[in-house]
Each structure stands twice: as structure tokens, then as C-alpha cells.
């Protein structure tokens, strides 16, 4: 948000105290079967021969789909055209129908269509393979080393919350994450449980803010009023 909006009524690092990183949720790079590529290496080579000729969809400017593809484009050294939609569902529908060739949808959204052959999976966005799609390689291992982009959830409380409360919240969160039903629900979302110490969560948040500021600048993502 600090890299996407001109004005915010809060400062995440100043006004919030992280309790724990809860989960990370990778996305998956998919293409329509009509695109003659079957992995990341083939796609990058294909795109480099057609600078600015390939389009990709997203849920809108600044969405996870948009930012993930911009990191991919930037690291791969390719030119792609962004087509922002008013939501992920209409963008995803157009990829399935072949109106658009590419997208980084969630694993839950794309799993059925990958299994049915309506989409070609090129790579998982995290450095670790997904438990839901273990046979699909990561982007990093299949052509773009170092690529690691996830949607994530982090539990935080207002700054200056007493330490005993933070410690109790973290303990209860860890306990809840170990519950079989919770594990099953999180996995069903295509997410991976994390759980971290407050200091680790704070460091993660700081690194993410700095990282996306750099991405927004390099990708020339316009600020929203």
C-alpha cells in the first residue's frame, strides 16, 4: 500500500506491531493451451522474440496478480502488456476462454482447470512447491532462479500493545494452526501455514515494504489517489 497510494491514514511499520506471519499463499503462472509453451524457459524465450506482443490479465492495478507478473517480467527481461480487470474472476475467465494468454491466479482458482487441461501450468510463484500441486515446478527451479512472490497474511495489533498480550495471541495462534481442521482449511486454500516470532514478523514486514517499493518504481506502477 505505501507504494501504491499517495496518501494512507496509517504507517504499517509505525502504527502496527506484528504478532506472527500466519500463512503464505503462492500463485501459479498459467497460460492458455494455444500458447506454444510448456514451461518457464520456453515462455521466456517465446516472449523475448515478441516484445510487447503478449498480454496478461489481473484483478486490477496493484493486485497480487499484477505485481507478481511485474516482478516476473522485470526479472526475466521481457516486455508484456498488462490488462487490468475489475476483479480476478473476469480476468481468469478470459484466460480460460483464450481471450488472454497469461495470468498468475491463485492455486485454488486454477487447480480444476489445470487438471482438466484447459490451462497450462508453467510454474508456482514461491520457492517451495505447493502441497496442492506437488508435480508443478516452481518458477525459480524451472527457468528464473530467485523468483519468490507470495500473497501473505500477517497478524498484527496496534503499536504499544503490552508484550504479554502479544505473547498470548501468538501462543493461541500457534495452537490453532496445529488443529487438524485448521490445517485442512489452510491447505484447501492453497496456502502454507507459517507461524513466526514477533521479531521475525516485523523483519518480514519491513523487507516486504522495501521490496515492493523497488518493484513499483522499476515497473512504473502509477500511484492511486
Amino acid at each position: 500500500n505505501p507504494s501504491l497510494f499517495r496518501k494512507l491514514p496509517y504507517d504499517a511499520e509505525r502504527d502496527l506491531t506484528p504478532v506472527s506471519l500466519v500463512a503464505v499463499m503462492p500463485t501459479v503462472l498459467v497460460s492458455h493451451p494455444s500458447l506454444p509453451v510448456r514451461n518457464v524457459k520456453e515462455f521466456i524465450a517465446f516472449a523475448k522474440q515478441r516484445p510487447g506482443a503478449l498480454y496478461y490479465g489481473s484483478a486490477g492495478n496493484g493486485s497480487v496478480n499484477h505485481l507478481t507478473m511485474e516482478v516476473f517480467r522485470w526479472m526475466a527481461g521481457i516486455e508484456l502488456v498488462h490488462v487490468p480487470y475489475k476483479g480476478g474472476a473476469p480476468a481468469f475467465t478470459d484466460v480460460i476462454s483464450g481471450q488472454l494468454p497469461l495470468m498468475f491466479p491463485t492455486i485454488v482458482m486454477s487447480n480444476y482447470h489445470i487438471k482438466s487441461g484447459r490451462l497450462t501450468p508453467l510454474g508456482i510463484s514461491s520457492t517451495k512447491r505447493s502441497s496442492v500441486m506437488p508435480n508443478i515446478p516452481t518458477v525459480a527451479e524451472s527457468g528464473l532462479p530467485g523468483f519468490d512472490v507470495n500473497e501473505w497474511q500477517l497478524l498484527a495489533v496496534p503499536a504499544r500493545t503490552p508484550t504479554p498480550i502479544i505473547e498470548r495471541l501468538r501462543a493461541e495462534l500457534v495452537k490453532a494452526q496445529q488443529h487438524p481442521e485448521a490445517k485442512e482449511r489452510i491447505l484447501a486454500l492453497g496456502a502454507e501455514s507459517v507461524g513466526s516470532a514477533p521479531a521475525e514478523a516485523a523483519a518480514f514486514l519491513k523487507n516486504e515494504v522495501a521490496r515492493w517499493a523497488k518493484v513499483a518504481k522499476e515497473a512504473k506502477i502509477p500511484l492511486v489517489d
Side-chain angles (χ1 to χ4, degrees), residues 72-197:
F72 182 92
R73 179 192 64 76
W74 175 36
M75 290 182 65
I78 58 178
E79 294 179 34
L80 303 173
V81 179
H82 177 216
V83 182
Y85 283 70
K86 292 182 178 179
F92 186 64
T93 298
D94 274 3
V95 176
I96 295 174
S97 66
Q99 297 298 311
L100 283 175
L102 296 162
M103 190 176 176
F104 260 110
T106 65
I107 288 174
V108 172
M109 180 181 284
S110 57
N111 194 19
Y112 171 79
H113 300 286
I114 288 174
K115 290 181 177 179
S116 68
R118 299 182 72 184
L119 291 174
T120 301
L122 302 181
I124 300 294
S125 67
S126 61
T127 55
K128 178 183 176 182
R129 291 196 182 196
S130 168
S131 300
V132 179
M133 301 176 170
N135 295 326
I136 300 176
T138 66
V139 171
E141 71 178 284
S142 56
L144 204 59
F147 187 84
D148 182 24
V149 183
N150 295 288
E151 183 177 347
W152 47 264
Q153 289 78 38
L154 184 148
L155 178 64
V157 292
R160 295 173 294 281
T161 295
T163 299
I165 293 178
I166 294 173
E167 293 176 346
R168 175 67 186 278
L169 280 171
R170 179 177 179 274
E172 294 297 335
L173 174 63
V174 171
K175 181 180 177 181
Q177 286 179 303
Q178 298 305 313
H179 193 283
E181 186 176 349
K183 286 184 176 181
E184 184 178 339
R185 290 291 296 275
I186 292 172
L187 183 62
L189 293 172
E192 304 284 344
S193 290
V194 181
S196 63

